[in-house]
Amino acid sequence: MALTLRAAAAAAAGSTRGLSRLFSTSFIPPMNSATPSAREQAEPSTNLFVSGLSKRTTTEKLHEAFSQFGEVVHARVVTDRVSGYSKGFGFVKYATLEDAAKGIEGMDGKFLDGWVIFAEYARPRQPPPPPQINMASPYSRY
């Protein structure tokens, strides 16, 4: 009987220690956790990727906003085929690399149509994967 009381007392003492550890305000991250690496930066180019656009942002508004920082050759808001509204991102092409750098510096983290937008150098498109050849018969069970 004495053993069961001691075991119960030890368990109660251990659980309060565990609870205090659970509700502690100091947090020490595990040593083996890998820190998420930042996304690699794209090479500087005249083409910029702009994200965080409002659904109401038009190509004309995007062109007008970025033309303050240099000569914009082309601006395009990517839109949904069905609704015609913006998908929330677009592209701006400048005449020179210097203008593109000014455009990123001037518009990254700024408001456009009430939304904070982000501008960065556009990454080139990845080539599409080779097509898969499916040689299975349409009538086979496997």
Side-chain angles (χ1 to χ4, degrees):
M1 175 102 168
L3 283 177
T4 57
L5 288 176
R6 282 186 196 159
S15 67
T16 57
R17 199 170 346 144
L19 287 176
S20 66
R21 192 178 310 155
L22 178 67
F23 293 109
S24 170
T25 56
S26 62
F27 174 73
I28 301 171
M31 297 298 284
N32 61 356
S33 70
T35 58
S37 62
R39 229 171 129 177
E40 69 275 352
Q41 295 293 321
E43 290 183 29
S45 69
T46 57
N47 200 18
L48 304 183
F49 173 73
V50 183
S51 60
L53 297 175
S54 165
K55 299 286 182 195
R56 305 285 181 188
T57 302
T58 62
T59 298
E60 292 79 25
K61 286 182 184 177
L62 187 67
H63 187 283
E64 182 183 315
F66 277 85
S67 63
Q68 301 172 31
F69 304 100
E71 183 185 347
V72 175
V73 175
H74 181 73
R76 178 173 177 248
V77 173
V78 178
T79 56
D80 183 62
R81 290 180 189 173
V82 176
S83 68
Y85 289 125
S86 164
K87 284 192 165 188
F89 66 94
F91 296 93
V92 176
K93 187 170 182 79
Y94 278 100
T96 64
L97 282 173
E98 292 80 22
D99 289 346
K102 288 181 203 170
I104 289 176
E105 186 179 318
M107 290 301 289
D108 189 36
K110 300 296 191 271
F111 283 91
L112 181 64
D113 289 336
W115 288 52
V116 177
I117 64 169
F118 302 97
E120 61 185 62
Y121 293 114
R123 291 177 180 78
R125 251 189 196 177
Q126 296 294 327
Q132 297 290 330
I133 300 173
N134 188 0
M135 299 300 289
S137 168
Y139 301 109
S140 74
R141 294 175 61 146
Y142 304 104

